[in-house]
Amino acid sequence: TSSAAPPYRAWSRPFTLSGADAVRAANPALAVEDCGSSSVVHVSWTDGRRAAPLHDVFYARKRTVPPTPWSTAIRVSNPTPPAVVPLDSWFPSADSLVGLHGLAAAGQSAFALWTDRRDGVAGDTDVFGSRVRSGITCR
């Protein structure tokens, strides 16, 4: 039985999506959409590649037709403020400020949703989102 057909008796080798620049990656999210006779796998995560306590949201995608490679990871969040927003005393660390909470995919686009204090207002955690076009045309 081929490993590409049900019942999927074999797994591929693990590989790194976040890349060598990632300081600390966390909160992965996955979405899959039909794309003609194949599918597109969308992945999003947070990591602190610019500065460990300031996480950004990154995105990569792959079409499920072998040997299609994963796309280059791109930052989908705008830059965080230059200074760390003061934390309330009940927050244990800056890591608590950013959390990836969802990823949806449809129509050859993906939409990531997360919370953080990106706007620089102390004591104010907001919900942010970003749409990414996958760059894949489905037929």
Side-chain angles (χ1 to χ4, degrees):
T1 303
S2 168
S3 63
Y8 309 107
R9 298 181 194 271
W11 289 89
S12 66
R13 291 189 128 203
F15 49 89
T16 303
L17 289 176
S18 58
D21 294 339
V23 174
R24 187 173 9 177
N27 306 308
L30 175 75
V32 179
E33 70 171 312
D34 288 334
C35 185
S37 61
S38 66
S39 299
V40 177
V41 179
H42 304 267
V43 179
S44 204
W45 65 92
T46 61
D47 81 37
R49 67 183 64 198
R50 292 186 311 116
L54 299 175
H55 287 172
D56 288 313
V57 178
F58 284 80
Y59 164 85
R61 57 98 181 118
K62 180 185 191 325
R63 190 167 183 170
T64 60
V65 178
T68 306
W70 282 90
S71 68
T72 301
I74 60 168
R75 188 178 81 202
V76 297
S77 57
N78 60 326
T80 49
V84 176
V85 177
L87 302 176
D88 294 330
S89 59
W90 53 273
F91 268 97
S93 70
D95 292 338
S96 300
L97 300 180
V98 179
L100 186 64
H101 297 288
L103 181 66
Q108 297 139 41
S109 292
F111 191 84
L113 188 67
W114 69 94
T115 59
D116 71 18
R117 294 183 178 182
R118 186 165 305 277
D119 60 2
V121 178
D124 180 23
T125 302
D126 294 308
V127 176
F128 291 86
S130 182
R131 183 181 72 149
V132 182
R133 293 200 183 271
S134 69
I136 294 176
T137 300
C138 299
R139 296 181 213 328

